[in-house]
Structure formats: structure tokens, C-alpha cells
Amino acid sequence: MSVRLVYFAWVRERIGLSGEEYPLTQSLPAGELAAKLRALSAGHAEALTDLSRLRLALNQQQVGWDALVSPGDELALFPPVTGG
Amino acid sequence: MSLFEVRVQAGPFEIGAEQARLSALTPEVGAVVSFTGQVRDAPLLLEHYPGMAEREMEALLADARARWPLIGAIIVHRHGPLAVGEPIVLVLTASSHRRAAFEACEFLMDWLKTRAPFWKKDALGWVDARDSDEQAAARWD
């Protein structure tokens, strides 16, 4: 069981991946998951140090850090949007 | 007949052709408002979240329809590398009267900037989100 992680903009660049699978056997809050991801690499640690600079979407819906991530979900991490 | 549509595409859009689709919808269309955003100052690269971008834009249209009596609306947002002067985004709204069309167009643009998952990068790096855009969107709450 795993969660699909997807990264955009400078989060993608610092981590060096546009996405990856991360093992997950039970639900946990997105903030706790992000803290675990910091251990994956120096790039992950750098990109995910200050969560206040990031936004997230769970299964393509914008949510907060307390949102529960479950196996099979897609979690996207990205900076505040700048389109338009 | 009504027409509500969102698109994300790499290529350019034809403003006149899109506007004509709304103008021709029904005899009740009395106002069509169009907004075009274009690249200023320096070239940009636009990244987006495929799937979620379209979903957020659809949600914005639904929100606008709940607030104003719209007959149609089209949002087209481009992605990829864009040169100075190239159009980035098109928002078109059609209603029987101008006020609804004007207001809905401005609402859609304000919310698009703060909700739709697009990111701009220029020669200096990733563009930071601006508080003024958040404030512009918040006035519609």
C-alpha cells in the first residue's frame, strides 16, 4: 500500500522528482506525512522544511495539513499558485 | 442553450472565435465581456497540475453561475513557454445585461489567480504569490 506523491514548481525542482510512490499502510495527517518525507533526501528536507510556504491538494482538492492521507490517495505538494 | 467550458492548452487561442460562440448562443445574450491576460516584461514558463487545474476552473464556473445569471462562460489557460506579449489566459462571460457579465468576469479572474494550480517561472526563478491577489479574491467572500 502506498500514497502517490506529486510535486510542482520549486518543490519538484528541489526534490528532483515530479512524483513518487511512498509506502503507507494506515491513514495519517498530511503534516505528519510531510515530516516523514524530509528523511528521504537532502532535497526533500530542503523543500519540506517550512510547511507554511507550501500548499497541498489531496486527490486534487485543496486541503489543510490536518487532512488525513490514506493508502491509494494522491497527495500534491506545491508553492502558492501564481497563474492567471 | 448555454455554454460553460474550461480548457488548458499549450497553443494560442482565438479570442474572436471564442467570443462568437458565446454571442451566438441565444437571442437573450445582451452582453459578452472578455478579459485577456498576457505576458509582460519578460518571458515566462507556466507549469500546471493537469486534471486539478481543469477541476478548479470548473468549480469556479459553478460558483460564478450561482452568483450571477450567466448564459455562458469560457476560460482558457495556457501552459508551457510563453514570450512577452503572448496571451496567457482568456475569460469570457455572457449574460443578458452587462453588470452580471462584468462582475462575473472579474470574479473568475480574481479567483483563478488564487485557486487554479498554475505556477509561473521567469529568468529570476519561480514567481512568488502576491498578497494583493489574495486580497482581490477575498473581496468576493
Side-chain angles (χ1 to χ4, degrees):
Chain A
M1 299 293 269
S2 64
V3 57
R4 176 73 190 159
L5 300 167
V6 287
Y7 310 123
F8 293 98
W10 56 256
V11 179
R12 172 179 56 73
E13 288 183 344
R14 283 177 198 177
I15 289 175
L17 296 168
S18 58
E20 60 187 322
E21 297 286 331
Y22 185 80
L24 188 71
T25 51
Q26 58 185 30
S27 302
L28 84 169
E32 288 182 29
L33 177 59
K36 285 175 180 280
L37 297 177
R38 286 184 199 129
L40 289 177
S41 76
H44 286 81
E46 188 196 348
L48 306 174
T49 294
D50 182 1
L51 297 187
S52 71
R53 296 187 64 204
L54 300 182
R55 299 294 179 269
L56 60 159
L58 184 60
N59 299 323
Q60 306 197 353
Q61 305 269 8
Q62 296 206 33
V63 294
W65 292 106
D66 56 354
L68 274 185
V69 182
S70 300
D73 282 346
E74 177 175 287
L75 179 69
L77 302 173
F78 46 80
V81 302
T82 55
Chain B
M1 277 283 286
S2 63
L3 191 169
F4 294 90
E5 186 178 297
V6 305
R7 297 205 308 274
V8 179
Q9 62 189 45
F13 44 76
E14 190 64 54
I15 299 168
E18 302 291 349
Q19 181 160 336
R21 296 171 66 206
L22 293 183
S23 299
L25 270 179
T26 76
E28 286 80 46
V29 173
V32 179
V33 167
S34 110
F35 172 86
T36 308
Q38 64 179 45
V39 181
R40 71 163 192 280
D41 297 337
L44 287 177
L45 181 70
L46 265 147
E47 182 167 322
H48 76 296
Y49 186 173
M52 182 178 169
E54 288 87 347
R55 285 171 68 151
E56 285 289 331
M57 289 156 71
E58 294 275 8
L60 292 179
L61 279 190
D63 204 346
R65 292 176 73 177
R67 291 166 183 245
W68 291 279
L70 297 178
I71 301 169
I74 297 171
I75 308 176
V76 185
H77 204 303
R78 294 178 69 190
H79 66 87
L82 295 169
V84 172
E86 277 201 82
I88 304 172
V89 61
L90 174 68
V91 177
L92 289 165
T93 52
S95 188
S96 292
H97 301 287
R98 71 180 183 281
R99 190 172 178 82
F102 270 129
E103 289 184 358
C105 187
E106 204 170 5
F107 166 86
L108 287 170
M109 212 32 236
D110 283 346
W111 276 99
L112 195 62
K113 289 189 85 82
T114 57
R115 299 275 320 172
F118 290 86
W119 299 272
K120 292 191 182 103
K121 188 182 193 184
D122 63 20
L124 300 174
W126 293 97
V127 174
D128 284 327
R130 297 192 313 192
D131 288 342
S132 59
D133 287 334
E134 285 288 340
Q135 287 156 13
R139 75 198 161 108
W140 299 102
D141 280 344

